[in-house]
Amino acid sequence: NAGVMQNPRHLVRRRGQEARLRCSPMKGHSHVYWYRQLPEEGLKFMVYLQKENIIDESGMPKERFSAEFPKEGPSILRIQQVVRGDSAAYFCASSTFSGEQYFGPGTRLTVT
Amino acid sequence: GENVEQHPSTLSVQEGDSAVIKCTYSDSASNYFPWYKQELGKRPQLIIDIRSNVGEKKDQRIAVTLNKTAKHFSLHITETQPEDSAVYFCAEFAGAGSYQLTFGKGTKLSVIP
């Protein structure tokens, strides 16, 4: 299966803990996007990365959130000191340059 | 992209009837308009897309039309089936200088057998 992979699929964290979400793009894709989806809402752009570069982080909250896409390995979205409002589904998508974006299965984060 | 409005928010149709979902956008630089289908608890799946140099595109029972002058685009599903029931999202992409998809709020389509 050469689709976009995300793990974990479900993540439960207590308030104040850290959450790490991983995304492996489709084979041949070098562009990764992270989106957040609140219940019964659309997807909101967070960040766009290429290997070792953050290209556009205009949708990322200024504090506690960070993203990386290292030379080797998956892209990681990191949320420090999680709060209840961070509970959402986080989707990663990948594409070729300016191409169609294909989504992974998502990570459903629950903060208790 | 700046803003995408999607209507209706819910839509119920009888099996076999057609369904139409409409979106409007504000960024005149937008040049790519995908539609995604999302079933409950699943990933958004790209079902059809259209680029700004084309007015209409069709794939079996699904078609998308684009009116660049009026800045709106529509999804048409004909001969609907129960498995078409899902939430449908339109999106737009402004291309160079902007790398994000801006999504509408979604339309929950229910196809009644």
Side-chain angles (χ1 to χ4, degrees):
Chain A
N1 184 352
V4 181
M5 307 291 286
Q6 286 187 253
N7 69 80
R9 297 290 306 278
H10 300 274
L11 183 61
V12 180
R13 285 287 177 266
R14 290 199 180 97
R15 278 180 298 168
Q17 290 185 319
E18 178 180 288
R20 279 186 181 233
L21 289 61
R22 294 174 189 78
C23 169
S24 296
M26 280 178 73
K27 192 173 182 180
H29 286 188
S30 57
H31 302 256
V32 167
Y33 312 79
W34 285 92
Y35 293 85
R36 177 164 61 179
Q37 186 176 36
L38 294 171
E40 302 196 4
E41 288 197 14
L43 294 98
K44 300 286 187 191
F45 169 79
M46 299 180 74
V47 62
Y48 161 50
L49 310 102
Q50 296 177 28
K51 285 283 187 183
E52 300 184 280
N53 280 305
I54 297 173
I55 308 300
D56 180 359
E57 56 181 346
S58 59
M60 196 95 104
K62 294 285 185 281
E63 297 176 353
R64 303 188 297 109
F65 285 72
S66 62
E68 62 176 10
F69 190 13
K71 190 176 179 182
E72 302 290 337
S75 175
I76 295 174
L77 179 67
R78 183 181 175 206
I79 311 172
Q80 295 179 290
Q81 300 173 342
V82 295
V83 301
R84 287 222 173 99
D86 297 333
S87 295
Y90 291 83
F91 287 95
C92 152
S94 73
S95 75
T96 56
F97 181 70
S98 295
E100 298 89 352
Q101 293 185 23
Y102 293 93
F103 283 82
T107 294
R108 278 149 187 86
L109 173 65
T110 301
V111 179
T112 62
Chain B
E2 294 170 6
N3 190 38
V4 178
E5 291 196 7
Q6 183 171 347
H7 298 280
S9 56
T10 60
L11 179 61
S12 290
V13 299
Q14 290 291 135
E15 182 177 358
D17 286 351
S18 295
V20 180
I21 303 169
K22 298 180 180 179
C23 288
T24 59
Y25 62 97
S26 56
D27 188 349
S28 56
S30 297
N31 59 13
Y32 173 64
F33 307 89
W35 285 88
Y36 287 85
K37 174 184 180 182
Q38 187 177 31
E39 296 175 46
L40 189 62
K42 301 256 180 97
R43 76 183 76 194
Q45 283 191 291
L46 179 65
I47 56 171
I48 196 167
D49 57 15
I50 192 167
R51 296 192 184 268
S52 58
N53 57 346
V54 175
E56 183 175 0
K57 185 176 178 181
K58 193 172 181 181
D59 182 4
Q60 300 183 342
R61 296 186 298 108
I62 295 173
V64 56
T65 58
L66 171 65
N67 183 327
K68 281 211 75 178
T69 304
K71 295 199 186 108
H72 65 70
F73 57 112
S74 300
L75 177 71
H76 304 252
I77 307 174
T78 58
E79 300 171 29
T80 53
Q81 300 166 5
E83 51 265 38
D84 294 331
S85 296
V87 179
Y88 291 81
F89 293 98
C90 64
E92 56 96 18
F93 176 77
S98 172
Y99 306 97
Q100 55 180 281
L101 286 174
T102 301
F103 284 83
K105 290 185 182 293
T107 297
K108 184 175 182 179
L109 174 65
S110 300
V111 179
I112 303 162

